[in-house]
Amino acid sequence: MKVSALDVRRASGRIAALGLVCLPLLGGASTPADTSAAVAQVLPMASDLLEIKFAEGQEIRLRDGRPVDLRGRALTGAATSRVFELVARGEWFRSHDVSEEKLEAMRAQGRLAAGEELPDLNLYFRLRLPRGLDAESIAEQLRTLPEVEAVYHVPTPAPAPVAPDYYTPSSGSYQRYQDAAPGGIDSRYAATLPGGQGTNVRICDVEYSFNSSHVDLAGVTVVGTTPADPFSNTNHGTAVMGVYGGAANGQGVTGIAPGAQKYFAAAQTTAGFNVGAAITSCAANISAGDIILIEQQTWGPQSTGSSDCYGCVPVEWYKPYYDAIKTAVAANKIVVETAGNGSQNLDDAVYSTGNSGHYPFLAQNDSGAILVGAGLSSGWGTTARYAHTYSNHGSTLDLQGWGDSIVTSGYGDLFSADGVNGWYTGSFGGTSGAGPIVTGAAASLQGRHKALLGYSLTPAQLKAVLRNTGTPYGGTKNIGPLPNLRAAFNSLSAPGACTAGGVSIAGGCWYLGGFDQSCQDVCASRGGYSSLTASYVGAPSQGGSVSNCQQVLTALGYPGAVTAVTRSDSLALGCHRWSTGALYWQTSPVFDPASKSYGSAAQLACACMN
């Protein structure tokens, strides 16, 4: 039997209000002011697994099953040899599944975009200890080595906390989080405009698992290592995907952004539990402007290890995962991160002490992710958009979504007559439910922006638009505004006319510079350089393509065939005309708009602010 979102029946006896999936706290180096080692004693963690970050500036890579310094200068001392001999029967492996080359490219690209140095994720390794060795003892010995920057106890998966089903509206549309503001995010309106259903946007969900056979979740691409769900329950991921990506197929639910392409990366795989690896697997398989949703949380310093995850915090509290998030954001990927169900004020002083000096919730250490809290649904009347008691809150939170009464796929308490592949729930919630609502809004806004202007918003730009146009939160606990897509769309504007010699393409004004002239110089008298140069005609990892380059050069009066090359004298010039008249698209993974040509031979195609 087929079922629509407006013609579903409530079944009894099944509780489906699962909140955010929970993962434990990091270990790390201890100092007199560092409480992480004491906390680690009462929290679950892998007893035979350590994560080691070698110091920046080294070229240490995994070769023949063990870390090796490719420059031949490190890992040769007597102390290092003694520790390595102790763990000789253990197993070393890289922390990230993405190839060394792709991680290096992401880092180089992000460094240019962020304007700051980023950690070398190739320097993260995991060590599976031989049986009988004490993890903390080996960790302390590793920390004494000059080549080692930090050693962490690796978190283990924790049970999923349950968010209560506080209230389910009994009239009107079941998916009321898609209604007009102030009650919902107005995604029904967004769906009526080109791009508003997330067209030409990819969403990669970091989860444990999902039901790939559900009728509303066709066509999900799995990236990274093979999933290994520690809880053997696909409902959580199925519900999350249904909120943002349920198919518009005339039955069940329709997601906020059904036009977006759905990707999935497992937080736990056959290689072990590793949220950082899932993040980089997502980043390596999507394009600039696409979205990564992190449906995880970790134990914090206030945690007791309880199954309801009291004290849990966003995963970026664990430094290796923070580094992966920051790298993905710097590579122009939108990261949506659930804030957690820990009932915590993230502005509390406990989050700026200990933790080996890593304080991600301070403004100056912002990872660039969109942190999402859980607000009361419209059914709560005058207290709608107040923070749920379980939701983390504080100045670091950016946006909120509904934390209760969410109708989506999975669980079967709302409808189950068609079997597990047609299950639906009316009581999904927690920050788990809030995260995909914001993700759907982000995909809708990005799709609309691309349809209207031809290029993607950056992570900072997209966050600013949703924050500045959202419906304000209620009460005294900051969880950010609820997205308002109508207001967000209305804030977008088409580009103005270009000055003489320029052509309007993809929302920017393009000009061809003189030989050996940087884009900054080309745009100096035209309002300044636009980052659209990198995101439209730059390297593939930044969203550029040879067809885009062809379009720009043709419009500028050079209609010949464009050749995609990586020159031996590569300075990552992107789209340009060579002095011989040849037209090139530089495929180097890094695009530096400030580069000048080798031998004064190239004219760059540049986008200017005008």
Side-chain angles (χ1 to χ4, degrees), residues 114 129 154-155 162 182 211 218 232 314 321-322 333 373 377 396 428 501 532 547-548 571 575 600:
L129 297 173
V154 177
V162 175
N211 179 6
S232 300
Y321 299 162
Y322 170 90
K333 310 302 191 292
S377 69
T396 191
F428 192 56
L532 179 60
S547 61
N548 292 350
L571 288 178
C575 187
S600 303

Side-chain angles (χ1 to χ4, degrees), residues 10-18 162-163 165 233 235 410-417 419-420 423-428:
R10 179 172 300 280
S12 62
R14 188 183 302 273
I15 298 175
L18 282 182
V162 175
D165 180 11
N233 188 331
N235 280 300
Y411 295 107
D413 62 285
L414 185 62
F415 180 83
S416 59
V420 65
W423 277 5
Y424 295 93
T425 177
S427 54
F428 192 56

Side-chain angles (χ1 to χ4, degrees), residues 49 93-94 97 126 128 225-228 268-274:
L49 189 63
F93 49 99
R94 298 175 61 239
D97 299 324
R126 288 192 170 191
R128 182 79 62 188
T225 307
T226 304
Q268 175 149 318
T269 70
T270 51
F273 181 69
N274 192 344

Side-chain angles (χ1 to χ4, degrees), residues 5 16 40 59 64 94 150 171 190 266 334 343 370 390 404 452 503 596:
E59 195 171 357
D64 297 324
R94 298 175 61 239
S171 62
I334 312 296
S343 305
I370 298 173
Y390 61 77
D404 64 273
L452 182 66
V503 294
K596 296 186 178 182

